[in-house]
Amino acid sequence: MQKLKDMEQRTEISSMGEFGLIDHLTRHNEIRNASTLLSIGDDGAVIDTFGKQIVVSTDMLVEGVHFDLMYTPLKHLGYKSVTVNLSDIYAMNAEPTQITLSIAVSNRFSVEALDEFYEGVNLACERYGVDLVGGDTTSSQKGFVISVTAIGEVEEGKFVTRSGAKENDLICVTGDLGASYMGLLLMEREKQIYLENPKIQPNFENQTYIIERFLKPEAKRKMIAWLKENKLQPTSMIDISDGLSSEILHICKQSQVGCILYEEKLPIHEETRAAAATFGIASTTCALNGGEDYELLFTISQHDFEKVKECELLNIIGHITKPDEGKVLITNGDKRVELSAQGWNPIKNV
Ligand code: ADP
Ligand code: MG
């Protein structure tokens, strides 16, 4: 476990002043997109749309609610703050191009700590080819608050909403589900052990996958690129932040349809299964209700089945039905279970 470490060198934020700090944090900033006409340093950034449509999405992360600095390295936090926002842009079938990043920090944090955070931010921007074009920097009493706004572009009319699913459409999901939740439970358990006895060092052998999924999630850009290459357009799409169950219910509600999911088709990583067993939770429950997977869930016409079934990035987990057929999971024992939204809800959990 790491404490919010006072590194050998500690530069007080106050020694730099607000503008000095902004200049310092953004000193490595690069421009990667031709659409970024004007970036950090003016009253606003200027973006050229080149005739494309613009998608905007914003998210806020609050210390103690969305992350715990006891076990979240600041570099990972910076990376994750960016990728979870990019995930929303991909979920609209768009390509992210710019972000703005606003932070509120207290004097608990040193300049070096913020540098680590920005290292993660810059790495995510580099990997996903997006430009950091602005933000805001302010102080907070105690905690760390992060707000990221992501901007993306999509060809005219090609954006995908939650409301277009039609009867008989296939339900597809990328990657695998429930791993991040298992990573969270593992970190929480180790934190408790550490608090009781700081001498005990955690052993994370054979659990690196679930930890990485939790601390450093990736946005599913390959899925969007594959759909484009194959000239396929989902009928509806959403990214999985609150659990599969909750997200498919959003699609059903907004599309006014029902759905059938099959338990045997749910993609679950072996490390997730092993962790679920140690925590005494059914791995299906993790897949349905675990949060922060950041996989993409989408529906697509049956006509596209031949192409979709060859795609290694996804699994077909069910299909869309008439609204009066309900929203159900067919279990391995052939039972019909009504899906309910038990997804992780920070408001409910406060
Ligand atoms: P203003 O007073 O117009 O809000 P600021 O002094 O807050 O401007 O910011 C100066 C410039 O630095 C702006 O371009 C702003 O977008 C950018 N900026 C401020 N804080 C951050 C940050 N944390 N990360 C990246 N860019 C930032
Ligand atoms: Mg400002």
Side-chain angles (χ1 to χ4, degrees), residues 53-71:
Q53 288 176 333
I54 297 293
V55 175
V56 180
S57 175
T58 196
D59 257 316
M60 206 160 182
L61 296 168
V62 178
E63 184 180 355
V65 178
H66 300 97
F67 59 89
D68 185 334
L69 290 176
M70 270 288 285
Y71 51 69

Side-chain angles (χ1 to χ4, degrees), residues 18 22 135-137:
E18 183 193 337
I22 296 170
D136 201 17
T137 307

Side-chain angles (χ1 to χ4, degrees), residues 73-83 99 101 113-128 216:
L74 282 161
K75 186 171 175 183
H76 289 63
L77 182 62
Y79 192 88
K80 181 172 179 174
S81 303
V82 176
T83 57
I99 61 163
L101 168 66
L114 290 181
D115 275 338
E116 269 190 57
F117 176 79
Y118 265 78
E119 262 180 51
V121 168
N122 292 335
L123 185 62
C125 286
E126 187 189 320
R127 291 212 181 141
Y128 288 86
K216 196 171 151 286

Side-chain angles (χ1 to χ4, degrees), residues 18-19 22 26 40-43 101 103 118 132 134-137:
E18 183 193 337
F19 302 118
I22 296 170
T26 58
I40 293 172
D42 219 304
D43 294 318
L101 168 66
I103 50 174
Y118 265 78
L132 172 64
D136 201 17
T137 307

Side-chain angles (χ1 to χ4, degrees), residues 26-306:
T26 58
R27 68 195 182 283
H28 298 306
N29 204 42
E30 276 178 44
I31 302 299
R32 304 180 176 89
N33 292 282
S35 57
T36 306
L37 296 189
L38 189 65
S39 178
I40 293 172
D42 219 304
D43 294 318
V46 181
I47 297 169
D48 197 328
T49 66
F50 296 121
K52 302 252 181 94
Q53 288 176 333
I54 297 293
V55 175
V56 180
S57 175
T58 196
D59 257 316
M60 206 160 182
L61 296 168
V62 178
E63 184 180 355
V65 178
H66 300 97
F67 59 89
D68 185 334
L69 290 176
M70 270 288 285
Y71 51 69
T72 310
L74 282 161
K75 186 171 175 183
H76 289 63
L77 182 62
Y79 192 88
K80 181 172 179 174
S81 303
V82 176
T83 57
V84 302
N85 272 273
L86 302 186
S87 177
D88 282 317
I89 300 294
Y90 290 120
M92 298 301 293
N93 201 31
E95 194 61 52
T97 43
Q98 288 87 13
I99 61 163
T100 64
L101 168 66
S102 299
I103 50 174
V105 276
S106 72
N107 57 13
R108 217 176 103 224
F109 295 84
S110 64
V111 172
E112 287 77 14
L114 290 181
D115 275 338
E116 269 190 57
F117 176 79
Y118 265 78
E119 262 180 51
V121 168
N122 292 335
L123 185 62
C125 286
E126 187 189 320
R127 291 212 181 141
Y128 288 86
V130 302
D131 299 332
L132 172 64
V133 297
D136 201 17
T137 307
T138 188
S139 53
S140 82
Q141 290 282 336
K142 204 160 145 270
F144 188 22
V145 180
I146 305 155
S147 172
V148 176
T149 297
I151 297 164
E153 56 182 40
V154 57
E155 274 165 47
E156 212 178 298
K158 296 283 188 192
F159 59 90
V160 176
T161 66
R162 299 174 179 185
S163 59
K166 300 275 178 312
E167 190 187 345
N168 296 325
D169 282 354
L170 304 169
I171 301 174
C172 305
V173 70
T174 57
D176 58 82
L177 302 170
S180 177
Y181 181 54
M182 289 299 95
L184 167 68
L185 290 193
L186 181 64
M187 296 315 254
E188 284 288 339
R189 186 185 70 189
E190 295 304 319
K191 175 182 165 181
Q192 290 314 322
I193 295 173
Y194 174 84
L195 289 175
E196 280 159 30
N197 186 351
K199 288 198 195 106
I200 299 179
Q201 281 301 310
N203 177 3
F204 293 133
E205 211 180 311
N206 298 326
Q207 291 169 316
T208 50
Y209 180 74
I210 57 174
I211 293 172
E212 179 144 337
R213 286 294 306 262
F214 170 60
L215 289 181
K216 196 171 151 286
E218 300 291 348
K220 299 302 169 313
R221 68 186 313 187
K222 282 191 191 151
M223 188 69 251
I224 300 307
W226 185 90
L227 288 166
K228 197 171 177 190
E229 268 164 39
N230 287 275
K231 300 193 170 51
L232 293 176
Q233 173 92 350
T235 50
S236 70
M237 184 151 54
I238 192 167
D239 74 324
I240 304 184
S241 49
D242 297 338
L244 170 65
S245 204
S246 165
E247 313 299 359
I248 192 69
L249 291 178
H250 282 305
I251 287 188
C252 288
K253 185 170 182 204
Q254 291 181 234
S255 302
Q256 297 179 302
V257 293
C259 72
I260 291 185
L261 300 182
Y262 297 92
E263 184 179 16
E264 60 173 5
K265 307 273 190 201
L266 299 180
I268 303 173
H269 193 274
E270 59 194 48
E271 267 190 30
T272 306
R273 286 187 197 281
T278 37
F279 286 112
I281 308 172
S283 54
T284 299
T285 306
C286 298
L288 289 174
N289 299 322
E292 299 207 285
D293 291 312
Y294 301 108
E295 298 292 353
L296 290 171
L297 173 68
F298 63 90
T299 58
I300 199 160
S301 166
Q302 288 269 358
H303 297 123
D304 300 322
F305 175 68
E306 289 303 321

